[in-house]
Amino acid sequence: MYKSLRQPIVCVLGHVDHGKTSILDVIRGTSVAKKEVGGITQKIGAFEVDMESFYRASRTEIGMNKLKIPGLLFIDTPGHVAFSNMRARGGALADIAILVVDINEGFKPQTVESIEILKRFKTPFIVAANKIDLIPFFTNIKNISFRDLQKTQRNEYNEELDKRLYNLVNKFYEFGLSTDRYDRITDFSKTIAIVPVSAKMAIGISDALLMLAGLAQRFLERNIEYVGGLGKGTVIEVKKEESLGLTLDTVLYQGSLKKGDRLAVSTRNGPAVSKVKAIFVSGKGKKLLEKSEVFSAQGIRVVLADKLEVIPGSPAIAIVNDTREAFDEIMKESQINIPLSLNGVTVKAEALGSLEAISYELSKKDIPIRSASIGDITRRDITDVSTLNDILSKIIIGFNVEMLPEAREAALTSDTAVETGSVIYSLIEATEKWIQGKKE
Ligand code: GTP
Ligand code: NA
Ligand code: MG
């Protein structure tokens, strides 16, 4: 019945550790942030909220039910400096966005980068000024709207809060944006809403959702009409499940996808095509529902007939007749943009975003890269570098990848060093230490 409108995609952007995942956790009612390795979001995560849950979370009664969208699709992004590519991807996908700023820290480099992305893609957004529980004179309270919070706090707290908000408003002004506390705005078409929140104490989340609904409402009038045709999406996660085959968790952002369709994807060996064996969407709780056809925007799980080495973070495009058009687009979007040197380290990572992330950090430390590619560490990787003579070429760095048994075996009889891990900082540190040791 809502087929003519698709779910708005809500992207959450902001500086590292300002609380993006925590805010989404409150919305979703889970606690992913605590489980992430190193506490840093390293991939884009996506989840859907249906309107019923949304209204419950935003504590909205009558009046708001004029919002005739099937739900909202939230996309988390990493705030770490090196994940520009993934932030931009998220920004490009977003219909509306939440920019998260730690109210005590204020603007940071990735806050600015996020603003530039939102401006570049002309994405309407609200600002969540997070961690208001850390403002001096805070009187402990949980699970409350921002409106109600103020009445529970001392004047000193409300003054300290206003001081920080004033600083934020001034900062936004420097970037050419007019903002204000959401309950002081009279014309929402001219001023961007700042909602003070605390993810930790679940404060202000309902107010933020309400502002988001308002944004979606204004936006809805023109922009989120469902666009038919070729299904287009971004692959977020790739899993090889014995019983099912190859599954791709994907954000379908345009068109539709049917069981039996041919899907063009990006693999380590270039573009490839496989048949869609099954499509799942998330049902109530953790259950998956099988669908014969899905319409954008949706977070979907696609099961492909072939066990291809699909690259997470890359595009997936349904093919109607001609594969060339889809392949061209796949090629264009999957290019690895990392400067390589004749002599340097070998980098392997599980996705485009993480490969770019670790390469960016290595280049910041003036460590040249000889080869950067996606996938586990193979025997071939070991034999490739064992013929090389300079020091740097003797190390392989694996970020979020496995070292395959044959590679392990080959490494035993070679002088190749391998460092693997899932936290960038520690991997870079280990690499620097190894290089230092070799130079001495
Ligand atoms: P990246 O994904 O790494 O960019 O970080 P993020 O923006 O998703 O931040 P995350 O949700 O991981 O939170 C970072 C840290 O801040 C965690 O230790 C959280 O517990 C903490 N935090 C988040 N929100 C709040 C808040 O409202 N108050 C307080 N006191 N701490 C918070
Ligand atoms: Na974090
Ligand atoms: Mg996060």
Side-chain angles (χ1 to χ4, degrees), residues 341-359:
S341 310
L342 202 55
N343 295 318
V345 301
T346 297
V347 190
K348 307 259 350 202
E350 104 283 24
L352 265 179
S354 44
L355 189 64
E356 287 178 346
I358 189 142
S359 303

Side-chain angles (χ1 to χ4, degrees), residues 10-155:
V10 186
C11 184
V12 184
L13 292 167
H15 192 73
V16 68
D17 280 350
H18 278 196
K20 298 172 292 296
T21 306
S22 300
I23 289 172
L24 287 179
D25 287 346
V26 182
I27 297 173
R28 180 172 32 176
T30 61
S31 56
V32 179
K34 287 185 200 117
K35 284 182 241 144
E36 284 174 15
V37 183
I40 294 176
T41 302
Q42 296 187 335
K43 292 190 196 101
I44 300 177
F47 72 95
E48 302 165 43
V49 173
D50 60 43
M51 288 321 282
E52 195 189 312
S53 320
F54 182 84
Y55 289 130
R56 205 177 329 113
S58 63
R59 302 168 198 228
T60 314
E61 290 121 39
I62 18 163
M64 288 309 300
N65 53 7
K66 58 186 170 193
L67 196 56
K68 292 210 168 22
I69 49 173
L72 291 142
L73 183 64
F74 287 92
I75 301 183
D76 195 4
T77 68
H80 184 270
V81 54
F83 291 90
S84 300
N85 175 54
M86 304 214 89
R87 264 192 301 282
R89 239 179 250 283
L93 275 176
D95 297 307
I96 52 180
I98 305 175
L99 175 66
V100 179
V101 189
D102 179 333
I103 196 167
N104 303 290
E105 280 203 345
F107 274 40
K108 289 279 168 182
Q110 277 63 58
T111 316
V112 174
E113 190 192 302
S114 301
I115 290 173
E116 298 301 342
I117 291 168
L118 294 169
K119 278 179 159 177
R120 175 147 52 103
F121 294 105
K122 297 190 170 60
T123 313
F125 66 97
I126 64 160
V127 179
N130 192 30
K131 307 200 186 185
I132 62 169
D133 60 290
L134 294 178
I135 293 172
F137 308 107
F138 178 69
T139 307
N140 228 331
I141 190 157
K142 270 191 165 177
N143 218 343
I144 190 168
S145 73
F146 177 69
R147 264 171 217 275
D148 292 338
L149 171 81
Q150 288 168 279
K151 299 170 215 153
T152 70
Q153 300 296 311
R154 294 157 57 180
N155 278 342

Side-chain angles (χ1 to χ4, degrees), residues 253-267:
Y253 60 85
Q254 190 181 309
S256 63
L257 190 68
K258 278 198 306 288
K259 187 173 167 172
D261 276 353
R262 291 187 309 144
L263 193 67
V265 291
S266 180
T267 77

Side-chain angles (χ1 to χ4, degrees), residues 103-107 160-174 179 194:
I103 196 167
N104 303 290
E105 280 203 345
F107 274 40
E160 287 288 335
L161 174 78
D162 261 349
K163 226 190 280 174
R164 285 163 177 72
L165 278 171
Y166 184 73
N167 288 339
L168 270 191
V169 169
N170 278 339
K171 264 296 179 199
F172 277 109
Y173 187 73
E174 281 176 33
T179 59
I194 302 180

Side-chain angles (χ1 to χ4, degrees), residues 7 9 43-48 73-75 89 93 230-239 246-257 263-266 276 278-282 288 294-304 310-318 330 333:
Q7 291 172 307
I9 299 174
K43 292 190 196 101
I44 300 177
F47 72 95
E48 302 165 43
L73 183 64
F74 287 92
I75 301 183
R89 239 179 250 283
L93 275 176
L230 281 189
K232 281 189 190 172
T234 298
V235 178
I236 290 172
E237 222 170 326
V238 181
K239 292 187 202 106
L246 182 73
T247 71
L248 308 178
D249 287 351
T250 303
V251 177
L252 185 72
Y253 60 85
Q254 190 181 309
S256 63
L257 190 68
L263 193 67
V265 291
S266 180
V276 176
I279 304 169
F280 296 93
V281 299
S282 47
L288 288 176
V294 284
F295 300 88
S296 60
Q298 279 232 52
I300 58 174
R301 176 164 292 180
V302 181
V303 183
L304 290 186
V310 176
I311 302 168
S314 65
I317 301 169
I330 297 256
E333 283 189 47

